[in-house]
Amino acid sequence: MESRKGYIWRNACLLLAGVLHVLGSRGPLDLEIARKLTHPEREDIVLMEWGYDREVQEIAIEIQTPLASSLALGFGSDNSINKTDFVVAGWNEHNETYFYDAHTEDDWPPVKDKSQDYVLLNLSRNDTHTVMRVWRKFFTCDRHDQEIENDTVRLTVVIGDGEQLELTDYNTFRKSVFFLEILCHPEYPEVMIPYDFKIKDFLVPESDTTYACTFLPMPRVTKKHHVVRYELIEDPATAGIVHHILIYFCANNTILTSEVGDCYGQDSRFSQCMSATLGWAVGGEPFDYPDDTGISIGTDMDPQYVRIEIHYSNFENKEGLIDNSGIRIYYTPELRPHDCGTLMTGVFTFPMQFIPPGCEKFRNYGICDTRLMEEVLNETIPDLTVRTYLLHGHLTARSLRVMHYRNGTLIGSLGEDKKYDFSFQQIRNLPNEITVKMGDIIVVECTSNTMDREGVTFGGPSSLNEMCIGFLFYYPLVPIAACWSYMDIHYVAEAIGLQRADSIMDAILNVDSFEWDDESRANAQKAVMTVTHLAMAESREGKRANETLSLPTISLPPPYHCEEDSSEL
């Protein structure tokens, strides 16, 4: 039987399943979600709206473009135009409409599919705009059609004046979206107080990667309040330079400074406060906590200070950039039933994680053994309810998933994206809340592509390094900051034929100078699947517990089952 809290959550969040079925499976779907596609050289926009039915696996999509006589809407798995799923529509020279399902192979223009799996619901235009609405199934069993799953989709909209639609930078709009987004309609309290965390007037260095940190006070309140929403404070001067902002809650015995310094430099004060509680990454949007949860502030147990971390990616080495970006929270005295927290899981950020060059798909893993959370706190921890997640990787990351094991068996997913986009790091709600029991194992898998790299990519803070992190938003709050692991790099190095090094750093240097080939890449991947990990749990106060673990059985997610490939019909 569904729990009371599950019932409340399911009904509080609009899953867009079964919204309207009046006319059967192709009946109207409410277009509940909207995004704008902008263009760096144009003032006009493309407005896109969509709605879906998760139960019967259908989606309706509408685009409103500047006035055009031809248009193409594409769905891709990466940022190239190759192998993109398109629908093409417009009016010919006789003012007759045309519409067809198509795809690109290696170049433009799109080629008509043998199987026509999109249905045109509307194609119209007036003096200023053109509108197209289409319908399709999530899975068409046509290899040329993009499957609609819990993944990022790269949208491409091309508009033109003639039937022969040309592809140019000026007539092309692009954006990444998450089609299966779950909308929550928050009920805001009557009193919401804004408060800003910012590093003021910070001169961004010319180097390609900077991690700037300092300590900032929490709002001064004399009784308990709940943070119920937060959002980015964007400084136009550094738009595109700020990669992510994290707010770490500090223990009240933290050694503080008002200076701004390198988060990962020599100043040990900035290695304190590892409880990442609020976060924004490039492409992220404002985040509202579910109506029955909030972040507690104002009690004796809550932090009086936070550490703010801003990651700048100044790859063009621009000079004289002054930044005033930050995070704005909204807090209220109107308390909610549950205090919530954020758990950081995945791979401990250190060069023991590595990806050889020339890999199309190389997988790394981080393990969280929840038993360590009880060990480090020396107390019993109740079941945790997870509702929301944020996946975080860097430029080589192509796929991330957070796997949930109980008694050695994979029982579900705590978040996934097989088409991860570094420029679109969105906090996402789960379709249903998930219970994590103490003793469960959480495994974060990150799949990377290094076909364009000549050297080894190591784990590290730079965007040119790699990370493999899953942030889980949960309740009730426990004072745990992170639960993650790193692998035994000596084992993997020996598996590719290197002699055992005297230290971890020597092993890293040996791996970095190794001459890679297909055999050694395959051997490294096999070793990563069998290597032992040092798994760790860390409290808000910095206490740690650890143990040596091996990965549970890892299997790739099964594809959607199709009786036959309709693209060959």
Side-chain angles (χ1 to χ4, degrees):
M1 180 178 295
E2 186 179 31
S3 67
R4 173 65 177 169
K5 63 183 181 181
Y7 176 83
I8 293 173
W9 172 245
R10 179 170 58 82
N11 286 277
C13 292
L14 182 59
L15 298 186
L16 302 180
V19 177
L20 287 174
H21 292 280
V22 179
L23 300 179
S25 66
R26 293 189 185 178
L29 294 169
D30 282 358
L31 305 185
E32 288 277 341
I33 312 173
R35 292 292 184 273
K36 294 178 181 178
L37 282 69
T38 59
H39 194 287
E41 299 177 11
R42 302 177 63 142
E43 294 183 359
D44 48 16
I45 65 168
V46 171
L47 175 64
M48 179 169 180
E49 298 179 282
W50 73 92
Y52 67 87
D53 186 318
R54 188 181 293 271
E55 182 178 350
V56 298
Q57 299 184 335
E58 299 174 353
I59 187 169
I61 304 164
E62 180 175 288
I63 58 170
Q64 176 182 287
T65 75
L67 182 61
S69 60
S70 58
L71 65 162
L73 169 61
F75 314 98
S77 58
D78 57 33
N79 293 323
S80 72
I81 202 71
N82 296 341
K83 294 180 172 55
T84 295
D85 176 18
F86 275 98
V87 284
V88 180
W91 291 263
N92 63 22
E93 59 182 346
H94 305 295
N95 204 33
E96 299 167 334
T97 61
Y98 59 87
F99 172 80
Y100 55 91
D101 180 4
H103 68 279
T104 53
E105 289 288 355
D106 298 312
D107 205 350
W108 191 263
V111 178
K112 188 174 183 179
D113 290 0
K114 292 181 180 179
S115 176
Q116 293 293 295
D117 300 301
Y118 288 79
V119 175
L120 181 64
L121 301 179
N122 176 43
L123 181 63
S124 59
R125 57 184 171 175
N126 57 26
D127 292 340
T128 58
H129 293 87
T130 297
V131 176
M132 178 179 70
R133 183 185 292 196
V134 299
W135 170 97
R136 59 160 284 185
K137 285 282 191 180
F138 287 2
F139 304 96
T140 66
C141 293
D142 181 346
R143 64 184 176 86
H144 297 308
D145 290 342
Q146 183 86 10
E147 295 179 339
I148 306 298
E149 299 183 277
N150 291 308
D151 305 319
T152 297
V153 177
R154 275 75 160 181
L155 297 176
T156 301
V157 176
V158 184
I159 60 176
D161 295 327
E163 189 172 350
Q164 299 300 319
L165 190 58
E166 296 182 1
L167 179 69
T168 69
D169 288 339
Y170 189 72
N171 71 350
T172 302
F173 296 76
R174 290 188 171 92
K175 188 177 183 64
S176 289
V177 302
F178 178 46
F179 273 141
L180 300 190
E181 182 174 344
I182 297 168
L183 291 181
C184 292
H185 299 286
E187 295 182 8
Y188 292 121
E190 292 185 7
V191 178
M192 287 180 63
I193 307 165
Y195 185 85
D196 293 351
F197 296 113
K198 296 198 304 183
I199 300 178
K200 297 180 180 179
D201 297 325
F202 178 71
L203 177 61
V204 179
E206 298 170 30
S207 56
D208 59 17
T209 298
T210 300
Y211 277 78
C213 277
T214 193
F215 297 93
L216 299 172
M218 291 289 286
R220 296 307 183 204
V221 291
T222 57
K223 64 177 183 179
K224 181 174 180 176
H225 289 65
H226 269 149
V227 177
V228 297
R229 175 184 171 90
Y230 68 86
E231 62 191 18
L232 171 70
I233 303 170
E234 184 177 33
D235 188 334
T238 53
I241 301 294
V242 176
H243 171 265
H244 75 241
I245 304 175
L246 291 174
I247 303 295
Y248 295 87
F249 279 19
C250 295
N252 290 331
N253 60 353
T254 300
I255 302 172
L256 303 172
T257 177
S258 60
E259 299 173 358
V260 178
D262 182 355
C263 302
Y264 301 98
Q266 299 300 313
D267 193 333
S268 62
R269 291 174 295 184
F270 296 129
S271 63
Q272 307 172 99
C273 315
M274 293 305 295
S275 184
T277 304
L278 311 173
W280 171 89
V282 60
E285 299 172 340
F287 177 64
D288 294 291
Y289 288 94
D291 291 340
D292 58 349
T293 65
I295 296 291
S296 175
I297 63 173
T299 76
D300 292 340
M301 300 298 294
D302 294 324
Q304 297 178 13
Y305 279 83
V306 303
R307 175 169 67 88
I308 184 172
E309 169 186 300
I310 303 185
H311 175 191
Y312 300 94
S313 292
N314 188 6
F315 288 124
E316 296 180 8
N317 307 118
K318 294 181 178 179
E319 301 178 10
L321 294 175
I322 303 296
D323 181 54
N324 283 278
S325 301
I327 295 285
R328 176 172 295 133
I329 64 172
Y330 295 86
Y331 63 96
T332 178
E334 301 172 35
L335 299 182
R336 297 176 167 188
H338 303 292
D339 296 339
C340 59
T342 306
L343 178 66
M344 184 161 53
T345 64
V347 179
F348 181 75
T349 304
F350 200 71
M352 274 86 77
Q353 177 194 3
F354 72 88
I355 306 105
C359 292
E360 185 175 359
K361 295 180 180 179
F362 192 89
R363 291 177 283 158
N364 271 293
Y365 295 90
I367 310 173
C368 165
D369 183 351
T370 56
R371 290 175 297 184
L372 292 175
M373 295 163 60
E374 292 192 319
E375 181 178 333
V376 74
L377 296 179
N378 195 28
E379 63 182 55
T380 301
I381 294 177
D383 293 347
L384 306 181
T385 299
V386 179
R387 290 175 164 173
T388 309
Y389 64 95
L390 171 64
L391 305 175
H392 181 65
H394 285 176
L395 292 171
T396 75
R398 297 295 183 270
S399 172
L400 289 88
R401 58 176 178 153
V402 184
M403 296 172 282
H404 184 198
Y405 289 82
R406 184 170 295 155
N407 299 322
T409 300
L410 178 65
I411 63 171
S413 169
L414 293 165
E416 60 188 8
D417 190 340
K418 297 192 294 296
K419 302 177 180 93
Y420 176 79
D421 184 352
F422 172 76
S423 298
F424 181 54
Q425 299 185 42
Q426 178 190 46
I427 298 174
R428 296 175 180 174
N429 293 314
L430 291 162
N432 299 288
E433 60 182 20
I434 297 174
T435 299
V436 175
K437 297 179 177 293
M438 292 305 100
D440 290 355
I441 299 291
I442 299 169
V443 177
V444 181
E445 175 191 78
C446 296
T447 303
S448 290
N449 182 302
T450 56
M451 296 298 290
D452 61 345
R453 298 201 174 189
E454 297 181 356
V456 176
T457 300
F458 289 99
S462 168
S463 296
L464 297 175
N465 298 136
E466 199 46 80
M467 286 188 176
C468 181
I469 301 292
F471 294 95
L472 303 178
F473 297 72
Y474 71 92
Y475 76 90
L477 173 68
V478 293
I480 292 290
C483 184
W484 47 6
S485 74
Y486 62 84
M487 67 181 182
D488 179 0
I489 194 172
H490 294 291
Y491 177 88
V492 182
E494 290 177 22
I496 60 175
L498 292 170
Q499 293 186 347
R500 188 172 185 85
D502 293 332
S503 66
I504 288 176
M505 187 53 64
D506 286 340
I508 292 170
L509 293 173
N510 291 342
V511 167
D512 190 33
S513 60
F514 185 71
E515 293 292 331
W516 293 90
D517 57 24
D518 289 344
E519 182 180 3
S520 57
R521 282 186 279 264
N523 288 337
Q525 183 67 89
K526 291 177 182 177
V528 166
M529 307 303 295
T530 56
V531 67
T532 58
H533 286 242
L534 184 67
M536 302 171 290
E538 183 172 348
S539 73
R540 281 190 172 186
E541 288 72 31
K543 293 176 56 179
R544 284 185 179 177
N546 59 68
E547 65 177 340
T548 301
L549 282 179
S550 297
L551 285 172
T553 301
I554 303 293
S555 58
L556 296 177
Y560 182 81
H561 177 69
C562 291
E563 295 296 333
E564 57 186 0
D565 184 355
S566 64
S567 65
E568 303 302 326
L569 296 178

